[in-house]
């Protein structure tokens, strides 16, 4: 039976419930044992884990405390907060009252995005550890998933792309809607208005064009992304810095939440080690937008070359070598990957990485 998606508070509990279940299982606890630790009924724990009930307030604090004390995986525990945000966004997406959608005034992070995709497609986030424990998927039924995708399309189609908030809403709604397995998704994406930013200029149009290019590349067509890299990103220092700032936020280094994409040009502080780790993990031939990953890795190390000796760079040289041996890269990416390999060899002559 599909979980009830929304509650009177406008929230959903399906993603939080699935993460809670995983945390409990990594702690080696049964539902009965967790209920006893929390001093609640078994039905309460079952309701939270299924998404029928929302874990909140003192119960949430108790659950975090008891699970941490029982040895639950810290990375799974850390996913509870982005899971709550993912649930909130699901609930707001299906609200019947038509309030302005929060994606217009909230820039999602990688964790929130991946948890949303998990609930919509069943694709578990690669960063969410399971400790060998099999996981299901957040309990959205087929009708609910279809309703979410339909609403995301409506949001993308109805957004005013001439205003910053509208452009942000369209970009984020379309990016999520692109995961719709329906047969007409490619046609629908192609019919959306395409952004055409001015060369060398940062704007919401530039962000939208980048997102569209990444979406198409992830779906198997890298041509627009390669054009974007050559004509609207490479060689423009301000745009390169904005792109790196975007990824630093997306991967959790820039403090959040950010309400507007303008943070990309606000010169916020970030170190780059976490971003390096994420980029290194995406150096895979099967990543549709691997050309962008290579370019970002090249740009990051070109500006912050000492990161090449950071512990997060462990194994990077091997990943670079494996990717360079494939045929999936553009000429630009192959050249930039070669420069990354040279830098790694220069800073790590003993082959430590």
């Amino acid at each position: 039976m599909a979980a009830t998606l929304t509650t009177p508070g406008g929230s959903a509990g399906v993603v939080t419930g699935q993460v809670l279940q995983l945390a409990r299982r990594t702690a080696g606890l049964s539902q009965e044992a967790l209920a006893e630790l929390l001093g609640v009924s078994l039905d309460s724990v079952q309701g939270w884990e299924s998404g029928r009930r929302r874990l909140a307030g003192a119960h949430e604090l108790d659950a975090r405390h008891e699970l941490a004390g029982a040895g639950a995986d810290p990375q799974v525990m850390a996913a509870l907060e982005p899971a709550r945000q993912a649930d909130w966004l699901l609930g707001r997406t299906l609200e019947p009252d038509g309030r302005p959608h929060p994606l217009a005034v909230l820039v999602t992070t990688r964790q929130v995005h991946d948890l949303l995709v998990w609930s919509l497609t069943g694709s578990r986030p690669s960063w969410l550890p399971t400790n060998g424990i099999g996981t299901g998927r957040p309990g959205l039924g087929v009708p609910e998933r279809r309703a979410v995708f339909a609403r995301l399309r409506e949001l993308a189609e109805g957004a005013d792309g001439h205003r910053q908030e509208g452009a942000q809403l369209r970009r984020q709604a379309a990016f999520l809607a692109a995961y719709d397995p329906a047969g007409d998704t490619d046609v629908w994406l192609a019919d959306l208005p395409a952004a055409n930013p001015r060369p060398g200029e940062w704007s919401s149009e530039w962000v939208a064009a980048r997102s569209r290019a990444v979406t198409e590349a992830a779906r198997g067509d890298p041509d627009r992304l390669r054009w974007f890299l050559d004509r609207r990103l490479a060689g423009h220092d301000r745009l390169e810095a904005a792109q790196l700032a975007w990824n630093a936020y997306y991967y959790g280094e820039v403090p959040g939440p950010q309400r507007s994409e303008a943070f990309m040009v606000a010169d916020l502080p970030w170190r780059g080690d976490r971003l390096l780790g994420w980029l290194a993990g995406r150096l895979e031939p099967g990543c549709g937008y691997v050309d962008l990953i290579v370019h970002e890795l090249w740009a990051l190390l070109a500006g912050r070359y000492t990161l090449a000796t950071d512990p997060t760079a462990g194994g990077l040289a091997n990943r670079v070598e494996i990717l360079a041996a494939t045929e999936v890269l553009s000429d630009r990416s192959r050249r930039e990957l070669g420069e990354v390999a040279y830098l790694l060899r220069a800073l790590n002559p003993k082959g430590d990485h």
Side-chain angles (χ1 to χ4, degrees):
M1 179 177 179
T4 301
L5 182 60
T6 57
T7 70
S11 298
V14 291
V15 183
T16 305
Q18 194 68 39
V19 174
L20 176 67
Q21 180 187 119
L22 179 58
R24 172 182 61 76
R25 296 178 70 186
T26 63
L29 298 175
S30 65
Q31 289 183 327
E32 291 83 358
L34 180 58
E36 184 175 349
L37 283 173
L38 298 178
V40 300
S41 68
L42 174 61
D43 183 66
S44 292
V45 172
Q46 291 173 338
W48 293 331
E49 292 191 357
S50 68
R52 289 184 290 107
R53 297 181 180 178
R54 182 164 59 95
L55 178 64
H59 284 145
E60 180 186 359
L61 295 176
D62 283 346
R64 289 176 183 269
H65 172 74
E66 296 294 349
L67 285 168
D73 189 289
Q75 286 183 267
V76 177
M77 294 295 295
L80 282 169
E81 184 56 38
R84 286 185 59 194
Q85 191 171 95
D87 280 329
W88 173 64
L89 288 170
L90 284 171
R92 287 294 301 273
T93 300
L94 290 183
E95 272 190 354
D97 62 8
R99 284 192 292 171
H101 198 278
L103 287 178
V105 290
L106 174 69
V107 183
T108 62
T109 63
R110 170 68 180 273
Q111 287 188 315
V112 173
H113 171 267
D114 284 359
L115 290 169
L116 284 169
V117 172
W118 189 24
S119 72
L120 293 170
T121 70
S123 178
R124 183 183 61 82
S126 60
W127 48 265
L128 188 63
T130 64
N131 295 358
I133 298 170
T135 60
R137 61 182 292 174
L140 290 183
V142 173
E144 293 166 320
R145 295 198 296 271
R146 288 175 177 168
V148 172
F149 281 128
R151 179 58 178 151
L152 288 170
R153 289 192 183 194
E154 290 177 2
L155 291 168
E157 292 167 359
D160 182 358
H162 297 291
R163 299 175 59 248
Q164 194 280 325
E165 290 183 359
Q168 181 171 305
L169 174 59
R170 172 178 289 167
R171 178 188 67 76
Q172 296 194 103
F175 197 70
L176 287 169
Y179 288 90
D180 188 347
D184 67 339
T185 298
D186 284 330
V187 174
W188 177 79
L189 286 169
D191 287 342
L192 282 179
N196 186 27
R198 295 179 180 178
E201 180 180 294
W202 184 90
S203 65
S204 58
E205 285 273 293
W206 182 85
V207 183
R210 172 207 172 277
S211 181
R212 178 73 167 266
V214 173
T215 297
E216 292 188 9
R219 295 181 66 83
D221 183 1
D223 289 346
R224 189 189 296 266
L225 177 59
R226 291 172 176 177
W227 181 90
F228 181 84
L229 289 172
D230 288 339
R231 304 294 182 87
R232 293 296 184 271
L233 178 58
H236 300 286
D237 290 347
R238 188 167 187 252
L239 298 181
E240 295 279 17
Q243 174 62 28
L244 286 172
W246 161 263
N247 277 332
Y249 172 71
Y250 197 55
Y251 294 123
E253 286 205 66
V254 172
Q258 295 294 331
R259 295 180 58 82
S260 165
E261 293 156 344
F263 81 87
M264 297 170 69
V265 289
D267 197 25
L268 298 175
W270 52 277
R271 185 175 183 273
D273 54 332
R274 186 177 300 181
L275 174 56
L276 177 63
W278 277 104
L279 291 173
R282 297 303 291 155
L283 285 178
E284 301 172 351
C287 176
Y289 48 91
V290 69
D291 289 302
L292 179 62
I293 298 298
V294 169
H295 182 74
E296 289 309 295
L297 177 63
W298 171 83
L300 177 65
L301 292 179
R304 307 181 186 213
Y305 64 89
T306 57
L307 285 173
T309 62
D310 191 271
T312 55
L316 180 57
N318 186 53
R319 286 180 172 272
V320 167
E321 181 180 349
I322 292 173
L323 183 60
T326 68
E327 301 297 327
V328 301
L329 300 174
S330 68
D331 291 341
R332 169 182 290 281
S333 295
R334 193 167 298 283
R335 182 175 66 253
E336 290 174 345
L337 200 63
E339 293 179 15
V340 168
Y342 177 82
L343 176 64
L344 293 172
R345 288 194 299 270
L347 295 181
N348 301 285
K350 296 182 181 180
D352 296 335
H353 297 289

